[in-house]
Amino acid sequence: EISACLVGSEMCIRDSIKNSPRKRKDFNKIYFILDHETGKSIIPIFRSYALDIDFYATNKILLGITNIKQMNDFEGVFIPGPSSFFKNIGKKGNISSLKNELDKALIDDLIMIERVSQANFSSIDLLLNTGTVKYRKNSCLERDLTLWKISLDDLTNRS
């Protein structure tokens, strides 16, 4: 209820304002560029109130995670990377941080690419820790970067 009175007057207005939230139809996707601490506070709020909207984020939003269950705050958010990468981390349980796991995976991928290069392959498709790539001698890697919708059911085999 709102009350408003004019200064120096005995005239007052009392009224109640009714709020009927409406679903916005002018957008259907939200892309978050946040760090982990901010994201774990903001995204659950959006998930509660912005139904039927797809949420996207960079991997940066997950880098502070030390246990796969902490991904619960980001359930339903699309992030770049294969689900297999996150499933492998899920099998480990507690980790020092997702950033360390990602760094290790990237180093392993670089070592594998170097081995392929040293083995003198001219062309090969590889399934690396961080996704699939097409290796062609004397050219850049072609990376197939998939989006994964975060789901704890996928990670904990609760389905």
Side-chain angles (χ1 to χ4, degrees):
E1 184 173 300
I2 294 180
S3 297
C5 296
L6 296 173
V7 177
S9 169
E10 293 187 19
M11 187 174 126
C12 289
I13 299 171
R14 296 193 193 284
D15 201 359
S16 62
I17 296 177
K18 294 179 183 169
N19 182 17
S20 300
R22 293 180 301 276
K23 181 179 173 187
R24 294 198 51 169
K25 296 182 180 180
D26 56 340
F27 64 92
N28 58 3
K29 295 178 178 114
I30 297 175
Y31 196 89
F32 295 99
I33 304 174
L34 303 169
D35 62 12
H36 177 71
E37 286 302 310
T38 307
K40 73 179 184 180
S41 301
I42 300 276
I43 289 182
I45 295 169
F46 274 87
R47 273 195 0 230
S48 297
Y49 294 105
L51 305 175
D52 299 326
I53 293 177
D54 291 333
F55 302 115
Y56 297 85
T58 64
N59 285 333
K60 181 179 180 182
I61 206 162
L62 301 177
L63 296 183
I65 289 175
T66 57
N67 183 307
I68 210 70
K69 291 179 181 175
Q70 292 173 333
M71 291 179 85
N72 190 46
D73 291 331
F74 307 102
E75 184 94 16
V77 175
F78 289 95
I79 58 168
S83 61
S84 58
F85 171 73
F86 296 99
K87 286 179 184 180
N88 288 337
I89 292 172
K91 292 174 187 174
K92 294 181 181 182
N94 287 334
I95 55 175
S96 60
S97 75
L98 186 66
K99 180 183 182 329
N100 288 345
E101 296 298 318
L102 183 58
D103 288 346
K104 286 185 223 175
L106 288 169
I107 290 169
D108 287 346
D109 289 355
L110 289 172
I111 291 170
M112 176 61 74
I113 292 166
E114 183 59 28
R115 285 181 179 161
V116 167
S117 175
Q118 295 296 322
N120 218 16
F121 281 91
S122 61
S123 173
I124 190 169
D125 293 341
L126 298 170
L127 177 58
L128 302 174
N129 294 316
T130 58
T132 58
V133 296
K134 292 180 182 180
Y135 172 84
R136 306 290 180 257
K137 190 173 188 123
N138 299 325
S139 67
C140 295
L141 293 175
E142 292 179 37
R143 181 174 287 276
D144 180 19
L145 190 58
T146 59
L147 291 177
W148 175 59
K149 188 174 187 177
I150 296 173
S151 168
L152 285 185
D153 288 340
D154 289 350
L155 300 176
T156 60
N157 296 322
R158 296 184 300 175
S159 47

